[in-house]
Amino acid sequence: MTSPKPVSAGGVTFANDRPFVLISGPCQIESREHALKIGAFLDAETKKAGVPFVFKASYDKANRTSLKGTRGVGIEAGLAILAEVRDTFGCPVLTDIHDIEQARRAAEVVDILQIPAFLSRQTDLLVAAGETGRVINVKKGQFLAPWDMANVAEKIASTGNGNILLCDRGTSFGYQTLVSDFRGLPIMAETGYPVVFDATHSVQEPGGRGNSSGGKRDYAPALARAAVAVGCSAVFAEAHDDPDNAPSDGPNMLPLTWIPGFLADLVALDKVAKHRSLRQGY
């Protein structure tokens, strides 16, 4: 196994052998006021829990199930809002990119560029993202095996950028169903890059509502606990003040009221998991 490679973004360090980071925020940017409201809550709760925090929100949800889906505020307005969140709370910010030009434009503002799972094998996009020098969080395609992510990381690293995070968000298991194979976390960690577990998208039911995706948020905390117990550098969990009425991914986002207990449980499990490295054996 390759030795762990810590990756830092805006004062937050990701590493498979260090305390976990929370990546959280609403699925998409709905408004400036909403982003700041969610950011304020998450910033306060993570500080209470002693958990490093990265704010996440998308300016454009380009892979919506149907044309009827709300996509977001757009790149210009979205990047301005993300910059304000970062400056207000002093936390790194993360957002999705979908093409080469977006990689270059978003890198001027955000700390972490995220490659959506559906685009995880797009060589030109991965290389363009790597060339920005920003931290790249690349989600494992639902159609990929965990060991395939070594090739994905190699494409980004070919640019000389080793600031790479590998994120598991579930694997396709028949139609409109995902399953989490927790062997995948230590397998991806063999690359040395920090591993992220996306708890809320792992309970998504792609296209499960016909014109939109469904999901079962009640299972997300259990999967997050399992991931932290196995060992990971970060937990990705989208959160919302009113998820049942959110414009996207509502069925799998966590209500804000769950966050304090969610963090308390993960902190306790993380301390046990990080006490002994999986590389040591017994």
Side-chain angles (χ1 to χ4, degrees), residues 132-281:
T132 67
R134 291 297 191 182
V135 174
I136 311 301
N137 182 42
V138 55
K139 292 196 174 184
K140 183 184 77 66
Q142 302 92 325
F143 45 86
L144 294 179
W147 45 87
D148 292 332
M149 292 299 284
N151 289 326
V152 172
E154 185 179 13
K155 292 179 181 182
I156 300 170
S158 72
T159 67
N161 184 355
N163 298 315
I164 300 167
L165 309 176
L166 302 179
C167 181
D168 193 314
R169 56 139 303 157
T171 301
S172 294
F173 189 71
Y175 296 129
Q176 299 176 334
T177 304
L178 301 173
V179 66
S180 294
D181 177 1
F182 288 101
R183 298 175 303 172
L185 302 185
I187 288 171
M188 291 196 296
E190 290 175 2
T191 63
Y193 295 112
V195 173
V196 179
F197 181 73
D198 182 344
T200 47
H201 285 100
S202 291
V203 299
Q204 188 182 64
E205 295 174 337
R209 292 186 166 185
N211 288 328
S212 64
S213 292
K216 291 185 170 63
R217 75 171 67 95
D218 288 352
Y219 295 125
L223 295 186
R225 290 182 187 184
V228 168
V230 169
C232 58
S233 75
V235 171
F236 180 112
E238 291 182 338
H240 198 279
D241 54 325
D242 186 13
D244 289 333
N245 291 299
S248 58
D249 277 358
N252 43 272
M253 280 196 286
L254 304 183
L256 292 183
T257 54
W258 291 14
I259 295 298
F262 180 75
L263 290 175
D265 289 347
L266 297 189
V267 167
L269 288 165
D270 191 57
K271 288 179 181 178
V272 174
K274 301 289 170 59
H275 175 69
R276 187 194 308 274
S277 169
L278 292 177
R279 301 175 72 238
Q280 291 178 316

Side-chain angles (χ1 to χ4, degrees), residues 10 64 91 97 99 109 114-115 125 127 131 148 152 168 175 187 210-211 238 241 258 275 282:
R64 299 306 306 276
C91 61
I97 57 170
D99 59 43
V109 175
Q114 182 163 277
I115 308 296
L125 178 59
V127 170
E131 288 175 342
D148 292 332
V152 172
D168 193 314
Y175 296 129
I187 288 171
N211 288 328
E238 291 182 338
D241 54 325
W258 291 14
H275 175 69
Y282 290 97

